[in-house]
Amino acid sequence: MGERKVLNKYIPPDFDPAKIPRGRAPKGGQIKVRIMLPMTICCNTCGEFICKGTKFNARKEDVKGEDYLGIQIFRFYFRCTRCSAELAMKTDPKNGDYVVEAGASRNFEAWKDTTEEDEAKARADDEENNEMRRLENRTEESKREMDIMAALDEMRSLNARHAGISNADALNAMTANTRTDKER
């Protein structure tokens, strides 16, 4: 029990740290990791649907020659749960997502298909056909602009109030107050 509290260990005089074997680097730069599938995919070999959240033992490697704004891209290899075919996916930091590379296909996700341009176009079409919707949107925009202008005016008045007082003025006012206190 006493050995566990010892901070200093005995090192013999003939000890050579160069003779200690070093750990091997992983083969092919791949390491084993435990991952959870970030999306639902379908195996191309057997047609098995593998759901989002399924855990796998995978091999992870750095993608050579690819990065996005200095962010390293990783590739993961794992096997299908039904037919043991090898599947591969890699990270996509540009979109904050993953890309299925080989052995499987990603399921269609309708919420990812809509873009901001499509939403703006749908809103414009809706306004064209509906006069009340156009009026509501116009009043919401004017209210938002008025709120922004009120906040800007408030910030300007606060800045003007604070800009009028300098550090020297504040010190002079404090010394004048102490003088009047002493005179009393």
Side-chain angles (χ1 to χ4, degrees), residues 22-23 39 43-44 63 65 100 116 122 124 126 128 130 135 147 152-153 160 165 170 175:
R22 298 282 180 210
M39 68 276 192
C43 178
N44 291 341
V63 178
V100 178
E116 293 175 11
D126 188 33
E128 269 183 31
N130 192 345
L135 181 62
D147 291 341
L152 276 173
D153 288 340
I165 301 172
T175 55

Side-chain angles (χ1 to χ4, degrees), residues 123 136-146:
R123 182 177 173 184
E136 287 173 358
N137 288 342
R138 212 177 311 145
T139 55
E140 284 177 11
E141 288 175 12
S142 64
K143 184 180 182 297
R144 192 178 311 119
E145 287 177 7
M146 289 175 63

Side-chain angles (χ1 to χ4, degrees), residues 38 47 49 65 67 76 103 112 116 125 131 135 151 155 166 184:
F49 284 93
D67 66 347
F76 299 95
K112 282 194 152 200
E116 293 175 11
D125 290 343
E131 195 67 30
L135 181 62
M155 290 176 72
S166 68
R184 287 184 193 164

